[in-house]
């Protein structure tokens, strides 16, 4: 493991110390590692969600195009029926 030195205002230091006690963490280090891990998980999920939304958007565009083709075909068939 590597070390990172951070500077916190006193109010944040007190908050972290309170969370260590309330959350049953063994140290501020453990608490901060958990926060970072949770943030990594959240961002990973957001990335997966964005990829899924992009795929769904592409799929919706394809469906719109397919709809237009079918609608045009039906309109042509409808027109041909009434012309005959």
């Amino acid at each position: 493991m590597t070390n990172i030195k951070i500077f916190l205002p006193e109010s944040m230091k007190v908050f972290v110390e309170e969370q260590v006690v309330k959350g049953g963490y063994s140290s501020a280090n453990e608490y901060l590692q958990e926060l970072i891990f949770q943030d990594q998980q959240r961002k990973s999920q957001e990335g997966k969600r964005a990829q899924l939304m992009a795929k769904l958007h592409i799929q919706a565009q394809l469906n719109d195009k397919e709809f237009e083709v079918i609608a045009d075909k039906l309109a042509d068939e409808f027109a041909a029926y009434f012309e005959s």
Side-chain angles (χ1 to χ4, degrees):
M1 278 196 199
T2 60
N3 292 324
I4 297 176
K5 187 173 187 175
I6 63 169
F7 298 93
L8 299 173
E10 184 63 29
S11 61
M12 289 181 103
K13 178 182 177 280
V14 169
F15 176 81
V16 168
E17 290 169 346
E18 289 172 353
Q19 298 312 303
V20 169
V21 172
K22 289 179 183 177
Y25 297 99
S26 62
S27 65
N29 182 58
E30 185 180 347
Y31 171 68
L32 294 172
Q33 284 180 353
E34 178 66 21
L35 288 179
I36 293 167
F37 176 76
Q38 289 174 4
D39 193 38
Q40 286 176 319
Q41 295 298 312
R42 182 181 55 80
K43 288 186 173 149
S44 174
Q45 290 299 319
E46 287 173 359
K48 290 175 185 174
R49 188 176 303 119
Q51 288 175 344
L52 178 60
M53 293 303 290
K55 287 179 184 177
L56 290 175
H57 180 69
I58 291 168
Q59 197 68 18
Q61 288 176 339
L62 292 176
N63 289 339
D64 288 345
K65 289 177 185 175
E66 291 170 352
F67 175 79
E68 288 177 24
V69 169
I70 292 169
D72 288 345
K73 183 178 177 184
L74 289 174
D76 292 342
E77 290 175 4
F78 184 75
Y81 175 80
F82 281 104
E83 288 174 358
S84 59

